[in-house]
Amino acid sequence: MLYAIISTDIENSTPLREQARPMHLARLQALKSEGRLILAGPHPAVDNDDPGEAGFSGSLVIAEFDSHGAAQAWANDDPYVAAGVYAKVIVKPFKKVLP
């Protein structure tokens, strides 16, 4: 089943994001190589693809996992969690309808 992992950043998360980003991206690449990643990316804090100093307000990952518990465990092990980037992480089942 697909799960949406919706994360909210702490204030001024950019320095922490930069430190943990390579490990974070490596985990997403692993999901992609396994054919389980649907999409992933950050939420710019302002209405711009390159938010500059405003940084990001959170992230969204939609991927396939065997269970809610497996999705939650994957989210809990994210390097951004360990680095303190995220203030909150929600894992919810997701049903893709389009495209």
Side-chain angles (χ1 to χ4, degrees):
M1 174 157 207
L2 296 179
Y3 291 88
I5 301 170
I6 306 156
S7 307
T8 304
D9 282 23
I10 62 167
E11 292 289 324
N12 304 310
S13 63
T14 301
L16 297 174
R17 271 182 171 270
E18 289 172 353
Q19 289 176 342
R21 189 168 192 261
M23 293 177 292
H24 173 77
L25 292 178
R27 292 180 82 236
L28 291 169
Q29 284 295 340
L31 281 179
K32 181 181 176 187
S33 331
E34 295 166 4
R36 300 189 305 142
L37 182 64
I38 304 302
L39 66 84
H43 301 286
V46 294
D47 193 11
N48 194 314
D49 282 342
D50 181 4
E53 291 182 18
F56 297 95
S57 64
S59 300
L60 172 65
V61 173
I62 299 179
E64 184 179 348
F65 294 92
D66 290 336
S67 66
H68 185 271
Q72 186 69 59
W74 188 90
N76 291 347
D77 287 339
D78 193 305
Y80 280 176
V81 170
V85 172
Y86 294 147
K88 182 178 181 181
V89 177
I90 297 170
V91 177
K92 299 165 75 167
F94 180 79
K95 181 180 177 183
K96 182 178 175 186
V97 175
L98 294 170

